[in-house]
Amino acid sequence: NCFQSYLSKFNILTIFKKENITFENIPKFNYSDEMINIFNNMLSINSNEKMEEWVKNHIGIERYSYHQINIFIKLFISQYSKFEKKLKFLRGDKDITEQCIKEFALCTQYFTNGGFSRMMTGIDKNNNNKNELDLLSDIYDNDLRNMNFPTPLIFIIKEKMIYDRLKIPDKNSKEYENTAAYLKRFKEILNLPYEVKDLLSIIEEKDNTYVITNDNFKKMVLLVYRIKANVPVIIMGDTGCGKTALITRLNQILNNGKKTMEIIDIHPGINDEILCEKLREKDEIAKKQENEELWVFFDEMNTCPSLSLLTEIFINRTYNGNKLSHNIRLIGACNPYRKRKGNKEKCGISLKDDNDEELVYLVQPLPQSLLYYVFSFGSIDAEDEKKYIYSIIEKLFKSGEEYLHKKTSDIISKCHIYLRKTYDDSVVSLREIARFTKCVEFFISYFKKKNE
């Protein structure tokens, strides 16, 4: 990992060298007796050889790495190990267990074979003529919006001894039309013991500035799937696109408003020593609440030079050899490594730097082993953004000012669309809406005092 980080400073091509990884040239499985016992209880699989054959038949990918195998197995165990006896699902008198396992394998292919994985294993043959920076940029832009599930996600509810298929509605669907409806589905599939009205009050706290839409509901469900399986998650998305807000709200939904997440803010001034000290503090908190999960969220993780240590933390669950508590769940957020797009027109005075012509963000490239865990957050859909805008500025308007409220939302939305089209997707974000609100409140106060 240290060597990879060193090489990445000199040549991105070295990190993303394409290799044809096949099942035959991966080392033999060597899982522990404890892991094999879990598979034996579930599927009567009692050896590494049988486990290897089962993965080969169900993972749904011809060429893959050990990281992808581990992601797949962890996801499977997180759902199916909840049963204390051999799996058996019945529909009437018909045993449909094998059908459910195949469906599960299909819906986990997005996790085990994301865009960055395709690039590294040489699966995406259409991109051979592109350089690595162009590939990274294209994958970030397209991976999430092209995400189509061949089957609904499957959630096992142990307390009810049932499985529930969750269909994620498409963009134009009216299956779930408001935040309460999305929360109701969360409560059902995760068997949450909380009332929907209580969850709604948590989501809408702080001046009702957060709404659940089709877009962030899909992202929340996919993140829950990974986090519950104890698979590290690295969310890649533009600054201000809602990564931290979504993770915070998701944590609150799962814990009825109780804070079980600690944030470590990363910046270029962070070094290994500071990072270890911060993580040691979070580990002490986790030890004190041993019976519940503690989410540790590394914000802007690719802005510091300590990516070797972060790789150790996320892959090995250790920091400088110190083992992390079992109940810590690792989540990171990073800015995309991609080129600027659109018109380069500028006005006024600007500071020229080495990064000015090519990259949207001045960030460190992630080591290859971390790219398997990247979740492309993507940009906010225009319709979803309009819902956010409407909700965030609602407090500015009195009863009877609905027309002004709607028109103001439309104008801000059109401003965002224009600026993104003229410059780049990253030039505006939801943060501008909060700034707009502060400006309006300031001027209302200013003119009121002036008139008085």
Side-chain angles (χ1 to χ4, degrees):
N1 292 336
C2 208
F3 185 55
Q4 283 183 341
S5 181
Y6 175 76
L7 286 175
S8 70
K9 297 176 193 288
F10 295 94
N11 190 351
I12 191 81
L13 296 174
T14 308
I15 298 302
F16 298 109
K17 180 182 177 184
K18 292 174 183 163
E19 298 175 355
N20 290 329
I21 300 176
T22 63
F23 187 85
E24 285 70 24
N25 61 26
I26 289 178
K28 292 294 182 183
F29 275 36
N30 187 26
Y31 282 98
S32 64
D33 291 341
E34 181 183 0
M35 181 76 79
I36 292 172
N37 283 337
I38 292 172
F39 270 82
N40 191 27
N41 290 337
M42 293 190 296
L43 300 167
S44 299
I45 291 174
N46 56 14
S47 68
N48 271 288
E49 291 73 22
K50 288 184 178 179
M51 201 165 159
E52 185 176 316
E53 186 63 27
W54 180 83
V55 168
K56 184 177 180 180
N57 291 335
H58 288 89
I59 197 169
I61 308 169
E62 290 182 11
R63 290 176 284 184
Y64 43 84
S65 73
Y66 247 138
H67 291 289
Q68 291 166 303
I69 293 169
N70 282 322
I71 289 170
F72 178 76
I73 287 177
K74 281 186 175 181
L75 287 167
F76 183 86
I77 286 178
S78 74
Q79 293 296 316
Y80 289 99
S81 64
K82 295 175 182 177
F83 283 83
E84 296 167 356
K85 54 185 179 181
K86 188 176 182 299
L87 287 176
K88 191 167 186 179
F89 293 123
L90 298 175
R91 183 176 293 152
D93 295 329
K94 186 180 179 183
D95 188 341
I96 58 168
T97 306
E98 185 61 25
Q99 176 189 336
C100 290
I101 292 173
K102 286 179 179 177
E103 286 185 2
F104 174 82
L106 281 172
C107 70
T108 55
Q109 281 187 38
Y110 175 74
F111 298 115
T112 54
N113 191 25
F116 295 109
S117 299
R118 287 196 300 275
M119 184 182 78
M120 289 184 292
T121 55
I123 291 173
D124 203 341
K125 296 177 183 178
N126 297 325
N127 290 320
N128 284 340
N129 296 326
K130 290 188 176 182
N131 65 47
E132 263 59 31
L133 182 53
D134 286 334
L135 275 175
L136 284 168
S137 183
D138 289 347
I139 288 168
Y140 170 73
D141 285 340
N142 298 322
D143 199 34
L144 189 67
R145 71 181 60 138
N146 292 333
M147 182 174 58
N148 296 311
F149 289 95
T151 182
L153 293 174
I154 294 174
F155 286 83
I156 306 297
I157 304 172
K158 179 180 177 181
E159 290 76 6
K160 297 181 180 179
M161 293 303 286
I162 60 171
Y163 68 97
D164 189 8
R165 289 185 177 94
L166 174 65
K167 179 180 180 294
I168 296 178
D170 58 40
K171 189 169 70 173
N172 299 319
S173 171
K174 292 187 177 180
E175 187 171 348
Y176 312 126
E177 293 186 343
N178 53 48
T179 298
Y182 287 109
L183 289 171
K184 183 173 182 291
R185 282 303 282 144
F186 262 123
K187 175 178 169 61
E188 291 168 354
I189 61 170
L190 300 175
N191 199 37
L192 299 176
Y194 322 123
E195 295 298 324
V196 171
K197 61 180 177 62
D198 295 330
L199 295 175
L200 190 61
S201 66
I202 293 166
I203 287 292
E204 294 183 344
E205 70 177 357
K206 294 185 179 177
D207 301 320
N208 192 24
T209 57
Y210 200 85
V211 291
I212 298 182
T213 65
N214 183 287
D215 175 70
N216 57 27
F217 176 70
K218 173 165 57 177
K219 292 168 183 173
M220 281 182 175
V221 169
L222 296 176
L223 289 171
V224 163
Y225 222 61
R226 279 197 171 199
I227 293 168
K228 288 297 182 184
N230 201 10
V231 173
V233 178
I234 300 171
I235 306 168
M236 182 177 284
D238 289 297
T239 297
C241 69
K243 303 185 294 290
T244 304
L246 184 140
I247 285 292
T248 302
R249 298 298 187 186
L250 181 58
N251 182 265
Q252 290 175 317
I253 290 170
L254 299 181
N255 297 284
N256 202 25
K258 182 180 178 183
K259 181 189 174 186
T260 63
M261 184 174 82
E262 294 289 327
I263 298 177
I264 298 178
D265 291 312
I266 306 294
H267 53 79
I270 292 280
N271 57 30
D272 286 10
E273 184 180 354
I274 295 171
L275 189 55
C276 282
E277 182 55 36
K278 286 178 177 290
L279 196 55
R280 191 176 293 111
E281 292 171 4
K282 310 308 178 190
D283 199 41
E284 288 299 318
I285 295 171
K287 287 175 182 175
K288 292 175 182 176
Q289 53 186 57
E290 190 176 352
N291 295 326
E292 59 183 32
E293 294 177 1
L294 178 70
W295 295 10
V296 178
F297 181 63
F298 298 81
D299 203 6
E300 307 285 343
M301 65 180 284
N302 60 341
T303 58
C304 78
S306 294
L307 281 170
S308 302
L309 177 57
L310 284 165
T311 302
E312 179 194 345
I313 292 166
F314 274 75
I315 303 299
N316 299 334
R317 291 184 60 82
T318 61
Y319 57 102
N320 280 355
N322 299 300
K323 194 172 182 179
L324 286 173
S325 297
H326 69 92
N327 55 330
I328 283 181
R329 300 293 176 262
L330 297 169
I331 307 165
C334 65
N335 291 323
Y337 193 75
R338 65 182 179 89
K339 287 183 174 180
R340 284 193 175 94
K341 295 182 181 179
N343 195 325
K344 295 289 291 181
E345 177 190 348
K346 293 183 178 178
C347 62
I349 299 172
S350 63
L351 176 67
K352 173 83 173 176
D353 61 43
D354 294 337
N355 184 47
D356 196 45
E357 294 302 322
E358 190 125 49
L359 299 178
V360 176
Y361 303 101
L362 188 58
V363 294
Q364 306 281 344
L366 291 174
Q368 177 177 324
S369 51
L370 287 183
L371 283 175
Y372 288 103
Y373 300 94
V374 167
F375 177 92
S376 296
F377 200 81
S379 56
I380 299 173
D381 179 88
E383 286 303 312
D384 282 328
E385 184 177 61
K386 195 178 286 188
K387 291 178 184 177
Y388 278 119
I389 293 169
Y390 189 87
S391 175
I392 292 171
I393 68 172
E394 188 171 16
K395 64 180 180 179
L396 297 176
F397 303 94
K398 301 172 185 175
S399 176
E401 295 181 335
E402 286 78 10
Y403 178 80
L404 184 59
H405 184 184
K406 184 179 184 305
K407 282 298 176 185
T408 307
S409 296
D410 290 343
I411 290 169
I412 296 173
S413 178
K414 287 176 181 177
C415 287
H416 278 209
I417 291 168
Y418 168 78
L419 288 167
R420 288 191 177 109
K421 186 177 179 181
T422 306
Y423 300 99
D424 185 85
D425 285 346
S426 62
V427 77
V428 287
S429 70
L430 293 176
R431 292 177 184 174
E432 268 64 56
I433 309 164
R435 291 175 183 134
F436 170 85
T437 304
K438 288 180 180 179
C439 285
V440 172
E441 288 173 337
F442 166 79
F443 280 111
I444 288 173
S445 173
Y446 170 79
F447 284 113
K448 182 181 178 183
K449 290 177 181 177
K450 184 177 181 181
N451 291 335
E452 289 172 352

